[in-house]
Structures are given as C-alpha cells and as structure tokens.
Amino acid sequence: MTTMVTTRKPRLETGTGVPKDDPELPRPRGVLSDSVRAYLLGSTPRLVGPEEVRQADPYGEDLQLALHLCYELHYRGFAGVSDDKEWDPDLLRLRALLEERFEDALRDSCGRFTSLDEAFDSILTEPADGVGVSHFLLRHGESWHLREYAALRSVYQLREADPHLWVVPRLRGRAKATMLAVEYDEYGCGRPERMHARLFADLMSDLGLDPGYGRYLESAGAETLATVNLMSLLGLHRVRRGALVGHFATLEITSSPGASRIAAAMRRIGAGDAAVRFYDEHVEADAVHEQLVRREVVGGLLEDEPGLAGDVAFGIEATVLLEDALSEHVITAWQQDRTALRAPLDETGTGPDTDTDPRPGNDTDTETETAAIDDAV
C-alpha cells in the first residue's frame, strides 16, 4: 500500500496559526497602530497610506507600536493572528513606509562621528560621573524600580539573541564563525535552562513578575519600543548588515559594567538567586565577548567589506541615541517618584494595572503620541 504525502500548503484560518500562549495584541495608540491591529485581526481590508505615516512622529507611541506589531510577526506572532500575515504584501508595504520614517529620523539625529574609531572610542570608556539607569539602581534603586525596569526590558530580553541572528547568513569567514560562537553562549551553549532569555524569565519570576513572552508590551512606551524596533530594522534587511554588527558590538561592549551594577542592586534589595544570576552571567560572558566582537566580528566584516565601516558607526550611534533616550525617560520618571511604564504594575506585580490611565502624572492617553525622542535627549 502506498502512502500519499501532500506538499500542498495547509489552509490557515485567522487565529489558528499561533499557539494560545503567545501574546495578545496590545491596544492601539493612534491611527497607525489601530490600522495595523485591525488588519491583523481581519476587521478591515485596508491599511493607512503614506500620508498618515508622513504625519506621524517617528519616535512616537503610535508609529513605534505599529512598527513593533509588524516586526513581531517575524518572531512569535500574536494570539488570534494567522501566520500567513508575516508575508502579507500590503502589510509589508506599510512596514516599509514606517521603516523609512524611522530610519530617516535616526540618520538625521546621527552623523557626529568622522570615523569608526571615533565611534568605538565613545563607548569603550565610561564617564566617571555616570548617570544611567544602572547607576540610579545601584545608588537609589528600590524593589519597585527594579521590577519596572525588568518589565520594560522584557520586551527585548525574552528574545534576547534572536534579532542578531538575522545577520549570520550575511557574514563570511571569521566574522560569521565568531558571531555564531558568541550567540552560542547567548543560547546557553546547548542547554535550554541556561539560555539568556530563560535566565531573564527566571529573574522576572524571582521579582514577582509574569515571565510570559510579550506580557508587558502594553506597559512599554515608545522609548522602549524604539530600542527593540531598531534591532529588527537592521536585522531584517541585508543592506543594513553593517549597522546591525555595530548595534551588536555596542551591546556587548557596554553591557558588562552596567550588569555588574544591577547585580549589586539586586543583592542590596535582597532579590533571589535567579534575579542576581542573570546579571552575573552577563558580567562574565560579555567581558569576554567584547574583545571577540570587536576584533573578530567587526574586524572580519570590514576585512571582507571595508566599505561598511560607516554603517557600523551608524549602528553604534543609533543604538546609543535610543538607549540614552530610554534612560532619560526612565530616570526622569523615577526622580519624580512616578512610574516609567505606561501604566503601573498591578498590586501583584504580574501585569499592568489596566484600570489606571497610562503614565500617571502625564497628560497622555492611549490615543496620543508622546514627545519625540529628540526632545528627551
């Protein structure tokens, strides 16, 4: 008896392509995100056009959420959204418009470095009077500060290494080999319980937070989404491979000192072993990765493609720009004794308090864009 095997693509109805434990679609924050959300759910056949995108704040809540919704389809997706939407041509056309608006703003804000060496010099040495989030947490951090920061960072950390893997097939030789070696560490060296995303989920549980993927997307403002969207903007396009390597190098070079300070803050407030372990792991691993990435990944890329030096510098500068904007937003909120989230965590700490207006103390709501990142920097 012959067994017939069909190679025909299965028909996927809306809502059947994503496991039930994947994140829910967040509430819209303006016309762009409302259009994308409705389109993903099949409640409208048309998306907004170029004029609405041109009018949007490139660093604002609406555009950043709309872009994040488009990008998430390439990762885990959303509950109730068909997998087929990942390559929907109308959605890709809108995503291209959103990306152009975002990248144009970034390039207008960057360009102060005259060489790649100058760009690297800007991140290799920390200022003596550091004022970033990790410094605040070390000196003044309370339990609620650390929990809020973990909730914000979870949008990225629960898929930590994934965006950078897009660049692997676009590299050659020693750049590719070393990139994979570093990423092998990020994925726990083959041990799922040691994957950095898993370690961060354990940290969240230790702090009384919900470790579910995408659980705090509703709480994350434009400043957080912009840092995450940058990775996908650079990773999903081969033409931006140099900039993604610059982004990757920036994170690996700068993360170890900050991780050391946050680990100390965790110990000071009496956080559990899992909360401390995540940052201790990064202190050790990223100190080694820093040298490998600069010499072998960046060096190997530029040996193969020297014309990409300017793109690497742009990746470094854009990363610092958006991370500084996020840091400014978070510290300003905390210094005013208010939440840095769009809504404070509920009483259990396991989710946003959806009955509370976003960002208490601000005259904003879910339909209004915040000020541009340029204003915060």
Side-chain angles (χ1 to χ4, degrees):
M1 180 177 178
T2 303
T3 302
M4 300 298 293
V5 178
T6 178
T7 59
R8 187 173 55 192
K9 187 177 84 168
R11 180 183 177 88
L12 288 178
E13 301 296 339
T14 299
T16 64
V18 179
K20 291 182 179 179
D21 63 345
D22 281 334
E24 299 289 334
L25 280 164
R27 292 175 293 180
R29 303 178 191 177
V31 294
L32 301 179
S33 53
D34 184 52
S35 176
V36 173
R37 187 181 190 277
Y39 189 80
L40 291 176
L41 292 174
S43 56
T44 180
R46 298 184 62 183
L47 290 158
V48 293
E51 185 58 32
E52 289 86 349
V53 175
R54 280 193 295 268
Q55 293 175 359
D57 175 359
Y59 297 124
E61 297 286 348
D62 189 27
L63 186 141
Q64 290 300 323
L65 179 59
L67 194 52
H68 186 85
L69 297 181
C70 292
Y71 284 148
E72 181 56 35
L73 302 176
H74 298 290
Y75 297 97
R76 287 274 295 274
F78 294 100
V81 176
S82 170
D83 289 347
D84 281 355
K85 291 295 186 184
E86 179 180 6
W87 300 111
D88 182 279
D90 291 334
L91 203 56
L92 291 176
R93 277 190 285 271
L94 175 59
R95 195 191 84 186
L97 295 173
L98 299 170
E99 289 177 323
E100 181 180 24
R101 186 87 171 96
F102 184 30
E103 185 176 8
D104 285 351
L106 287 170
R107 292 193 179 275
D108 286 345
S109 301
C110 296
R112 63 189 177 93
F113 298 127
T114 59
S115 69
L116 180 56
D117 286 340
E118 187 179 346
F120 269 118
D121 287 345
S122 72
I123 60 174
L124 284 171
T125 303
E126 285 198 325
D129 57 343
V131 294
V133 170
S134 64
H135 291 277
F136 181 98
L137 291 173
L138 177 62
R139 298 166 187 158
H140 314 292
E142 300 176 18
S143 177
W144 72 273
H145 294 126
L146 287 156
R147 290 163 66 227
E148 281 203 356
Y149 192 61
L152 286 174
R153 284 301 192 185
S154 69
V155 181
Y156 159 58
Q157 295 289 1
L158 292 178
R159 69 179 188 203
E160 180 174 353
D162 296 351
H164 291 131
L165 282 180
W166 295 111
V167 81
V168 170
R170 295 153 184 174
L171 301 176
R172 312 172 201 167
R174 63 190 177 104
K176 176 180 282 190
T178 308
M179 185 79 183
L180 282 171
V182 173
E183 292 288 64
Y184 185 62
D185 284 351
E186 301 285 348
Y187 286 100
C189 299
R191 298 169 58 191
E193 73 278 6
R194 299 298 301 171
M195 290 173 59
H196 286 187
R198 171 66 179 273
L199 294 180
F200 195 82
D202 293 342
L203 172 151
M204 296 179 73
S205 296
D206 210 341
L207 294 177
L209 297 169
D210 186 340
Y213 181 90
R215 182 68 180 86
Y216 295 97
L217 177 56
E218 191 79 68
S219 301
E223 299 86 358
T224 298
L225 296 182
T227 65
V228 180
N229 286 340
L230 176 64
M231 297 178 225
S232 297
L233 170 70
L234 303 180
L236 285 168
H237 298 273
R238 182 177 174 275
V239 71
R240 301 187 183 108
R241 61 196 179 279
L244 185 69
V245 167
H247 180 282
F248 181 65
T250 304
L251 295 190
E252 295 298 329
I253 289 171
T254 62
S255 67
S256 185
S260 178
R261 287 187 287 269
I262 298 177
M266 291 287 186
R267 289 187 175 94
R268 181 173 54 76
I269 68 163
D273 291 342
V276 175
R277 186 182 306 118
F278 174 82
Y279 288 105
D280 278 348
E281 174 79 12
H282 280 70
V283 172
E284 298 171 10
D286 291 349
V288 176
H289 293 169
E290 172 190 341
Q291 298 300 319
L292 287 173
V293 170
R294 190 174 186 198
R295 289 199 310 263
E296 303 301 324
V297 179
V298 177
L301 171 70
L302 296 183
E303 182 177 75
D304 293 329
E305 300 184 273
L308 293 182
D311 291 341
V312 176
F314 169 68
I316 293 171
E317 190 172 4
T319 304
V320 172
L321 173 77
L322 297 183
E323 289 292 337
D324 283 353
L326 174 58
S327 178
E328 174 86 9
H329 162 73
V330 170
I331 291 174
T332 298
W334 288 348
Q335 286 175 337
Q336 297 174 4
D337 199 30
R338 61 183 176 85
T339 182
L341 308 177
R342 283 179 55 80
L345 297 174
D346 62 22
E347 291 183 358
T348 66
T350 57
D353 184 349
T354 55
D355 294 328
T356 305
D357 288 338
R359 294 189 181 180
N362 289 358
D363 294 327
T364 61
D365 57 33
T366 56
E367 299 296 322
T368 305
E369 294 186 353
T370 58
I373 281 180
D374 280 342
D375 295 334
V377 169

